[in-house]
Amino acid sequence: MPEPVIQISSPEDYVTPNRAAPTRKTLHQNILGKLRPLPLQYHWTFWFDKHSESASPNPEEEYASRLTVLYEDVADIATFYRVYNNYPWDKIRLRDTVHIFRKGTKPVWEDPDNVNGGCWTFRVPKGNSQQFFHELAILTMASELQAAIEGEHDHVLGVSTSTRFNSNLISVWNKHGFNEKSIRILENTILSRLSPELRPVPDSNSYFYKRHADREGYQEAIKQAPVDSNK
């Protein structure tokens, strides 16, 4: 499958998210209204990750070949919607993934920012997955989640959505996967900030936290790249 191509349209096409109900007033729309005149605190990059069934003797090379930058520098909310609203979300194939990450951090375990981190992952039914991902992306890019864990010296690095058969796996990545307090604060903030109809039941099996170090293939992946623990 060729990588999706984003065509940027005119400003009037992205003022309102094209998949949100026009009469729906949410916290996230209020955040959006406040953000429009100002740049985002961090710059962000859209990535496309094409799933591969083949095994490679060099995992780093294999993964690098799967990753494509869709848009390198999202510095304000208007640019975010120019990219987001023109992306062919319905064309994403099974197990392919789209990431939105802080510029300068790759959505791979072996990146120095991610090597000691982990992520909250939510299994979201297809009917809610796009709205769920949109809200988490706004909360991430608007630094709402970052503000919640700032006191723990942790960082929210990105958000991902990966297509499955009847659902999407939607993840929020953080830098310090061994800070239990930060992990719980992040969980509580996500659950409280999401729209009520999207919130999973706490302690249900529809979401979980996992450190990258606990995932199969982690050790092999980090051997392929130097680790800078001071990043």
Side-chain angles (χ1 to χ4, degrees):
M1 171 189 173
E3 288 80 2
V5 176
I6 296 174
Q7 296 181 346
I8 303 303
S9 57
S10 59
E12 56 269 23
D13 292 330
Y14 60 77
V15 171
T16 301
N18 59 7
R19 289 171 179 81
T23 60
R24 188 164 170 269
K25 301 294 183 182
T26 67
L27 168 66
H28 319 295
Q29 290 170 322
N30 293 334
I31 292 171
L32 172 60
K34 294 175 184 177
L35 278 174
R36 279 199 185 105
L38 301 173
L40 296 168
Q41 181 178 0
Y42 301 101
H43 290 209
W44 302 85
T45 299
F46 274 73
W47 297 83
F48 175 70
D49 176 3
K50 182 176 176 59
H51 176 69
S52 173
E53 296 287 353
S54 61
S56 168
N58 190 329
E60 182 186 21
E61 287 185 5
E62 178 193 0
Y63 199 66
S65 68
R66 288 164 39 192
L67 278 175
T68 303
V69 173
L70 297 173
Y71 200 92
E72 186 173 11
D73 191 1
V74 176
D76 54 62
I77 204 67
T79 304
F80 165 75
Y81 276 117
R82 280 165 48 202
V83 179
Y84 183 89
N85 283 356
N86 287 280
Y87 191 78
W89 298 104
D90 57 338
K91 301 292 194 298
I92 300 177
R93 299 184 67 176
L94 197 65
R95 294 189 177 274
D96 287 353
T97 305
V98 174
H99 308 273
I100 304 173
F101 261 67
R102 285 194 196 182
K103 186 178 179 182
T105 300
K106 284 188 175 182
V108 296
W109 301 331
E110 61 267 28
D111 185 278
D113 276 337
N114 292 322
V115 70
N116 293 315
C119 59
W120 279 108
T121 298
F122 301 83
R123 186 177 296 277
V124 184
K126 286 287 186 185
N128 291 335
S129 62
Q130 199 57 51
Q131 183 183 347
F132 193 104
F133 179 66
H134 170 254
E135 292 196 7
L136 269 191
I138 290 297
L139 288 169
T140 299
M141 299 177 71
S143 294
E144 288 286 300
L145 302 182
Q146 179 59 45
I149 61 174
E150 197 78 42
E152 292 299 310
H153 308 289
D154 200 355
H155 297 274
V156 173
L157 299 171
V159 58
S160 307
T161 180
S162 183
T163 302
R164 296 297 190 267
F165 187 71
N166 290 318
S167 62
N168 278 26
L169 297 181
I170 299 177
S171 301
V172 177
W173 299 46
N174 72 306
K175 186 171 184 176
H176 297 307
F178 294 89
N179 186 330
E180 294 291 343
K181 183 176 179 181
S182 177
I183 290 167
R184 291 304 160 193
I185 291 172
L186 187 56
E187 175 191 17
N188 292 335
T189 305
I190 291 170
L191 295 182
S192 65
R193 296 291 196 272
L194 282 170
S195 295
E197 67 271 19
L198 297 178
R199 293 173 191 163
V201 177
D203 300 321
S204 71
N205 60 7
S206 63
Y207 72 98
F208 60 91
Y209 187 86
K210 196 164 190 176
R211 299 179 185 95
H212 306 319
D214 295 332
R215 293 186 181 273
E216 184 180 357
Y218 171 85
Q219 294 298 333
E220 290 77 8
I222 64 171
K223 286 177 184 176
Q224 306 301 321
V227 175
D228 180 3
S229 59
N230 296 318
K231 181 174 176 181

